[in-house]
Amino acid sequence: MNNFLNELKWRGMLADVMPGTEDWLNQGPIAGYVGFDPTADSLHVGHLVQIMLLVHLQRAGHTPIALIGGATGMVGDPSGKSQERNLLTPDTIAHNTQAIQKQMEAFLDFSSAKLLNNLDWFGNMGFIDFIRDVGKHIPVNYMTAKESVKKRLETGMSFTEFTYQLLQGYDFYYLYQHHHCRLQMGGTDQWGNMTTGTELIRRKAGGEAFAFTTPLITKADGTKFGKTESGNVWLSPEKTSVYDFYQFWLRSSDADAARYIRIFTLKSKEEVEALESEHQGAPHELKLQRCLAEDITQRVHGQEGVIMAEKTSNFLFGKASTEELKSLSEKEILQIFNGVPTFFISHSDLSSCSELADLLAVKTSIFSSKGEARRMIQSNAVSVNQSRVANDFLPAPENLIQGKYLLVQKGKKNHNLIVIQ
RNA sequence: GGGGAGAUACUCAAGCGGUCAACGAGGACAGACUGUAAAUCUGUUGCCAACGGCUUCGUAGGUUCGAAUCCUGCUCUCCCCA
């Protein structure tokens, strides 16, 4: 029954495991949970690791529980945060909760998996009840020994955030009592909160519960995973276009791609190893990165998303000439440049431009200032309609594709579409 | 309650009356090389009508021909004593 931990192990998804977890998992189907706080109206790629845990759990025949923190999100988890954060309003949290719940449904089969919201059990609990029923069981010295608290003792931490581990601990206790859940999973930064839960279960219910964590996902160069120049990579296509999402994975380095494909896809060990050796034989084909990007984009945005992102990528990074670009029909243009940042300007905007930098920094915000635009143009970094241009170049009507489009490329990887209407 | 230190650009961090749009490092972006990789080398990194101009050094005033640098009030942060 339990290939679960082994599966996670070869994929490099195991960091700390509480003693006894494996033995217990071997005893038969169990229920395990991961919590997600609704701090934004979409999950991002960092959450994907945790989601994959639930997916593996389900595939191993167990019951995954995705817990949305409608209540804990009101408080704010201090883990891994060096500063106190602002509270979100209840409205925002409710909205975020809904959005995240919806996203969850794409990954798990909720005919057997469970989707819960801890507001359901915290919503009506009074403060006095809480400190009597929960607070009484966990000593403050135990709480302050946690890394998440210790780190903040000097710089300061509100009582609110200090309490967070108790809330999360109670979640685990509640799931233990009502859903036979004895396993909690999460990122390494959650370890302290997770052990507060097992401790509460031990003290309050005399029960035994288990936990393990996934390692912090990093990039080979040591920088933070899941960020691009424009910020977080979100699962919501409104916040990160499907094209950008696909590109995020495609651009990962060889070392990263090999690790990511284990973590974020369900490909078997044999498949992964075969891909790796294939990749080594012809690294320029980016086989590993392509498979990775395709697989994840497929899971998050569906087959259509993959087709579109690939089409756009192939066009923009292929050697499409100005002529090829000009030969595109309007329909093709709209299809290909879907997901590429687009700016709308008027014909008078275009004709009133005194220089290219004016068009790129003032009429559109492709660059943040004219100075920057000029510098970039001077360093040979800007192309219009697939050919390098100088600052004295100004698009004339005959340069517009289909009479209304301009493709502006900044550097190697940033494409923008200007629509003149 | 008493005493001390400090607040500089994305971050760290120099500067202590003119030569400061502000040393240096990191980061970021770009160019070359490549494979939309890594490493390496190079350039850029306040804004503009640009061999010049304008606005920046917590905030509000003041001294001075001239201030990030000196003085005063205010706000915030940290440390020590009680």
Side-chain angles (χ1 to χ4, degrees):
Chain A
M1 197 77 205
N2 173 40
N3 302 317
F4 180 50
L5 283 187
N6 284 334
E7 181 78 23
L8 297 182
K9 206 169 192 174
W10 78 259
R11 289 182 185 277
M13 296 173 78
L14 272 188
D16 303 302
V17 182
M18 197 169 273
T21 306
E22 180 153 22
D23 289 341
W24 171 73
L25 275 166
N26 281 328
Q27 288 171 20
I30 53 94
Y33 97 95
V34 178
F36 300 87
D37 273 356
T39 49
D41 60 0
S42 169
L43 297 165
H44 54 75
V45 290
H47 291 119
L48 230 34
V49 187
Q50 281 18 278
I51 292 174
M52 292 313 286
L53 284 179
L54 292 174
V55 170
H56 285 296
L57 192 69
Q58 187 158 47
R59 282 163 61 97
H62 303 294
T63 304
I65 299 174
L67 176 65
I68 314 284
T72 35
M74 302 261 229
V75 170
D77 185 359
S79 304
K81 305 287 188 307
S82 56
Q83 275 193 329
E84 185 85 14
R85 281 157 314 143
N86 292 329
L87 291 174
L88 299 171
T89 65
D91 283 352
T92 309
I93 291 166
H95 171 251
N96 293 350
T97 302
Q98 274 204 322
I100 288 175
Q101 273 177 346
K102 213 172 156 202
Q103 287 184 339
M104 281 291 174
E105 285 162 15
F107 298 98
L108 293 162
D109 172 11
F110 283 103
S111 61
S112 64
K114 293 179 183 176
L115 184 60
L116 303 173
N117 181 350
N118 61 15
L119 194 61
D120 291 344
W121 50 90
F122 279 124
N124 292 317
M125 187 186 280
F127 180 69
I128 300 294
D129 291 336
F130 182 74
I131 56 176
R132 284 177 65 95
D133 293 349
V134 183
K136 196 70 177 171
H137 298 278
I138 303 292
V140 168
N141 49 339
Y142 176 84
M143 293 172 71
T144 51
K146 306 277 179 184
E147 198 56 35
S148 59
V149 177
K150 245 197 297 188
K151 261 202 255 165
R152 292 273 296 276
L153 245 32
E154 286 289 316
T155 53
M157 162 184 234
S158 66
F159 175 72
T160 310
E161 288 198 3
F162 176 63
T163 323
Y164 187 89
Q165 58 172 294
L166 290 184
L167 295 184
Q168 187 166 329
Y170 183 75
D171 277 341
F172 199 178
Y173 172 81
Y174 181 92
L175 295 174
Y176 173 85
Q177 294 288 31
H178 296 84
H179 296 272
H180 309 292
C181 173
R182 292 172 69 184
L183 173 70
Q184 181 174 184
M185 304 168 285
T188 29
D189 58 331
Q190 291 299 306
W191 184 253
N193 294 336
M194 289 157 72
T195 51
T196 300
T198 57
E199 188 66 11
L200 188 65
I201 289 168
R202 192 178 67 77
R203 293 188 188 226
K204 198 167 151 64
E208 193 180 17
F210 304 91
F212 67 79
T213 59
T214 55
L216 181 71
I217 309 297
T218 53
K219 292 202 285 181
D221 60 9
T223 56
K224 219 171 177 180
F225 166 78
K227 296 249 185 200
T228 64
E229 44 175 308
S230 45
N232 274 332
V233 179
W234 302 95
L235 302 196
S236 154
E238 274 92 56
K239 292 168 89 85
T240 299
S241 77
V242 178
Y243 165 72
D244 285 333
F245 185 85
Y246 176 89
Q247 283 284 324
F248 167 75
W249 299 102
L250 189 75
R251 284 173 192 168
S252 40
S253 67
D254 290 3
D256 290 334
R259 286 188 302 128
Y260 295 169
I261 204 157
R262 288 169 165 76
I263 296 173
F264 298 103
T265 78
L266 293 172
K267 292 189 189 305
S268 69
K269 196 171 181 181
E270 293 70 35
E271 286 177 287
V272 169
E273 280 164 3
L275 266 171
E276 277 175 324
S277 61
E278 207 177 323
H279 179 76
Q280 270 167 6
H284 57 280
E285 284 173 18
L286 309 183
K287 190 99 188 186
L288 209 49
Q289 283 88 339
R290 282 183 208 284
C291 279
L292 175 71
E294 187 186 325
D295 193 286
I296 305 174
T297 307
Q298 149 85 46
R299 189 163 313 103
V300 175
H301 296 296
Q303 190 56 36
E304 270 177 54
V306 174
I307 291 171
M308 224 147 69
E310 283 180 343
K311 201 165 179 180
T312 308
S313 301
N314 290 338
F315 186 87
L316 294 178
F317 290 94
K319 295 172 287 269
S321 63
T322 309
E323 282 61 46
E324 280 174 79
L325 186 63
K326 283 190 165 161
S327 69
L328 293 175
S329 72
E330 179 157 14
K331 197 174 155 199
E332 286 172 313
I333 290 175
L334 290 177
Q335 225 180 30
I336 287 175
F337 296 123
N338 188 293
V340 173
T342 303
F343 300 87
F344 298 91
I345 66 170
S346 67
H347 279 98
S348 59
D349 281 335
L350 181 63
S351 54
S352 66
C353 283
S354 52
E355 55 175 331
L356 188 56
D358 193 24
L359 173 69
L360 303 183
V362 182
K363 304 300 195 289
T364 65
S365 49
I366 294 172
F367 290 97
S368 56
S369 76
K370 278 210 246 182
E372 191 195 349
R374 283 199 205 101
R375 282 195 298 270
M376 286 292 136
I377 292 166
Q378 246 158 39
S379 61
N380 209 23
V382 177
S383 299
V384 172
N385 291 345
Q386 301 294 91
S387 53
R388 300 272 163 160
V389 291
N391 196 31
D392 56 11
F393 170 83
L394 266 177
E398 62 268 25
N399 295 329
L400 304 185
I401 301 153
Q402 293 295 327
K404 56 196 286 201
Y405 300 103
L406 277 173
L407 179 63
V408 178
Q409 184 178 354
K410 146 173 112 174
K412 204 181 285 184
K413 303 172 190 169
N414 291 293
H415 302 269
N416 303 81
L417 187 68
I418 301 179
V419 183
I420 296 95
Q421 46 186 202

